[in-house]
Amino acid sequence: MFSKLSRAALSGFNELKMARINGVESSRFFQCQSSHILQPVIRGFFSTTSTEKANEEGKEEKDKISVTFVDKDGEEKHIKVPVGMSMLEAAHENDIDLEGACEGSLACSTCHVIVTDVDYYNRLTDPTDEENDMLDLAFGLTEMSRLGCQVIAKPEIDGIRLALPSATRNFAVDGYVPKPH
């Protein structure tokens, strides 16, 4: 024979216990009503609304761009790349055969890629002198060649297609070391 206040307090205590188990601050979990009966405050704590999920998924998609890698046999692999990531890192995370022997330190040309569309090529930042020096050593160099470690994902290049050359030159493995200028 609990009173209404006692039942509410017991219910609130059980809710508080569950909140502590789930890591919720007790001060945020309860509010006092004008009748001075404690009642649980649930503001989307236990589930995310479909609108919030859609917004998160939409933001996640906006934070990634579509990139297509075309290997030497013409096989295409479409991937999503987070904005800010280099194409070399993206290739490694997606099992694409792009070597990157120097791990993106601009000391080799093994991550050489060819941008297949001039419009996308023009959206990229201009290559630095260091990148151009390494590109001069790349196998199958073209007017639209870049080093994958220097092509950074950004919204302007969403949809870019990158062809992988049929071979690479890894001077560290081949035994040739270029002379400094």
Side-chain angles (χ1 to χ4, degrees):
M1 290 201 209
F2 288 120
S3 70
K4 186 175 180 180
L5 180 60
S6 298
R7 279 194 299 269
L10 183 59
S11 173
F13 177 75
N14 288 333
E15 296 284 343
L16 176 59
K17 203 162 66 171
M18 289 306 298
R20 283 192 182 147
I21 290 169
N22 293 319
V24 176
E25 284 181 48
S26 59
S27 63
R28 290 180 51 206
F29 199 78
F30 289 95
Q31 76 181 25
C32 188
Q33 299 289 331
S34 60
S35 65
H36 303 290
I37 297 174
L38 295 176
Q39 295 180 348
V41 175
I42 302 173
R43 295 185 185 150
F45 169 72
F46 293 105
S47 67
T48 308
T49 64
S50 59
T51 305
E52 289 171 340
K53 283 184 181 179
N55 287 342
E56 286 175 18
E57 290 170 4
K59 183 180 181 335
E60 199 172 288
E61 285 301 310
K62 288 181 184 175
D63 292 341
K64 292 185 178 184
I65 65 167
S66 295
V67 177
T68 302
F69 283 90
V70 183
D71 71 13
K72 60 186 175 188
D73 299 323
E75 297 280 329
E76 294 184 1
K77 185 162 188 180
H78 306 280
I79 63 171
K80 293 287 190 177
V81 180
V83 171
M85 179 181 275
S86 76
M87 295 302 117
L88 174 62
E89 293 170 304
H92 287 178
E93 283 191 6
N94 289 279
D95 297 322
I96 294 169
D97 193 23
L98 187 61
E99 187 175 343
C102 75
E103 298 177 6
S105 64
L106 279 173
C108 74
S109 62
T110 59
C111 66
H112 170 220
V113 295
I114 301 163
V115 181
T116 62
D117 185 313
V118 70
D119 185 45
Y120 282 101
Y121 182 86
N122 290 333
R123 295 178 193 178
L124 299 173
T125 57
D126 291 335
T128 63
D129 290 341
E130 293 84 4
E131 182 180 358
N132 280 327
D133 288 346
M134 289 297 109
L135 281 169
D136 286 342
L137 305 172
F139 180 84
L141 186 66
T142 73
E143 289 291 318
M144 296 199 306
S145 289
R146 292 298 300 265
L147 295 180
C149 65
Q150 299 302 299
V151 177
I152 307 300
K154 58 184 181 177
E156 297 83 6
I157 64 168
D158 186 29
I160 194 169
R161 292 172 49 87
L162 302 171
L164 304 179
S166 59
T168 63
R169 289 189 182 132
N170 186 343
F171 296 113
V173 173
D174 297 339
Y176 172 78
V177 178
K179 294 179 183 175
H181 298 281

